[in-house]
């Protein structure tokens, strides 16, 4: 199936993910000292960052006009919506920073080259991190799904304070409201 629009989605026709408990262990975890490649030609070690960091993880962004990963992608609960989610963080980036997010990152298991194209096309003001080797995914035991032989991260958002996960949004639905939900939480839970 060709993906015509990656942002115009009728969420009432997309199955919502359910809380399967696969992220319940994350709150309170200290991040491991792993470095990930970023779309701004740097490497980022989340565990070493000071202050509050927001990381939104997603399965896989698509490319307009390209063939989807699998024909029934939209029917996999939580799969559809990576581009709308990234755009929501782009659109609320300044407000997220004003509400205490020292850093904002996207995260997926896609290659850095794939993510760099997407970040440029969507004009993202923040880097996207590649966990193509699944190092962070495995170390944190992030919830995953397997599609077409690929291991993908299920959509979630981590709020990290000085290298420790202090809040987890999971499951995330609809994805285009993800940044707004995070912004509300940041405003209600300021950095001390």
């Amino acid at each position: 199936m060709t993906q015509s629009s990656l942002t115009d989605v009728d969420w009432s026709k997309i199955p919502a993910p359910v809380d399967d408990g696969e992220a319940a262990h994350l709150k309170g975890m200290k991040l491991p000292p792993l470095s990930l490649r970023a779309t701004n030609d740097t490497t980022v070690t989340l565990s070493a960052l000071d202050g509050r960091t927001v990381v939104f993880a997603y399965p896989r962004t698509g490319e307009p006009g390209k063939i989807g990963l699998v024909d029934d992608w939209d029917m996999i609960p939580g799969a559809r919506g990576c581009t709308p989610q990234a755009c929501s963080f782009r659109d609320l980036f300044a407000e997220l920073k004003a509400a205490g997010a020292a850093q904002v990152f996207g995260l997926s298991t896609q290659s850095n080259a794939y993510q760099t194209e997407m970040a440029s096309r969507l004009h993202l003001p923040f880097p996207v991190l590649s966990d193509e080797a699944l190092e962070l995914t495995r170390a944190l035991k992030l919830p995953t799904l397997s599609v077409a032989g690929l291991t993908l991260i299920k959509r979630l958002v981590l709020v990290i304070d000085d290298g420790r996960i202090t809040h987890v949004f999971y499951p995330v639905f609809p994805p285009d409201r993800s940044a707004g939900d995070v912004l509300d939480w940041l405003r209600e839970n300021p950095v001390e």
Side-chain angles (χ1 to χ4, degrees), residues 114-175:
Y114 192 103
Q115 292 174 329
T116 299
E117 181 282 324
M118 178 271 303
S120 174
R121 175 173 30 93
L122 299 178
H123 308 287
L124 300 183
F126 49 81
V128 179
L129 307 175
S130 174
D131 191 22
E132 188 176 16
L134 303 173
E135 292 177 290
L136 185 67
T137 300
R138 289 184 180 130
L140 292 178
K141 297 183 174 116
L142 295 177
T144 61
L145 61 140
S146 293
V147 179
L150 300 172
T151 299
L152 309 174
I153 303 170
K154 289 184 181 179
R155 188 179 322 284
L156 58 86
V157 180
L158 304 174
V159 178
I160 303 162
D161 288 309
D162 298 319
R164 185 173 300 279
I165 300 169
T166 53
H167 192 75
V168 180
F169 292 84
Y170 180 84
V172 172
F173 191 83

Side-chain angles (χ1 to χ4, degrees), residues 65-138:
K66 297 275 178 108
I67 300 297
L69 187 59
V70 292
D71 284 342
D72 62 347
W73 179 258
D74 287 2
M75 294 299 103
I76 301 169
R80 179 71 192 261
C82 303
T83 299
Q85 184 183 26
C87 290
S88 77
F89 277 90
R90 175 199 65 203
D91 296 346
L92 292 177
F93 181 69
E95 289 92 331
L96 291 162
K97 298 280 281 182
Q103 296 90 207
V104 175
F105 297 101
L107 170 71
S108 81
T109 59
Q110 290 171 284
S111 72
N112 183 262
Y114 192 103
Q115 292 174 329
T116 299
E117 181 282 324
M118 178 271 303
S120 174
R121 175 173 30 93
L122 299 178
H123 308 287
L124 300 183
F126 49 81
V128 179
L129 307 175
S130 174
D131 191 22
E132 188 176 16
L134 303 173
E135 292 177 290
L136 185 67
T137 300
R138 289 184 180 130

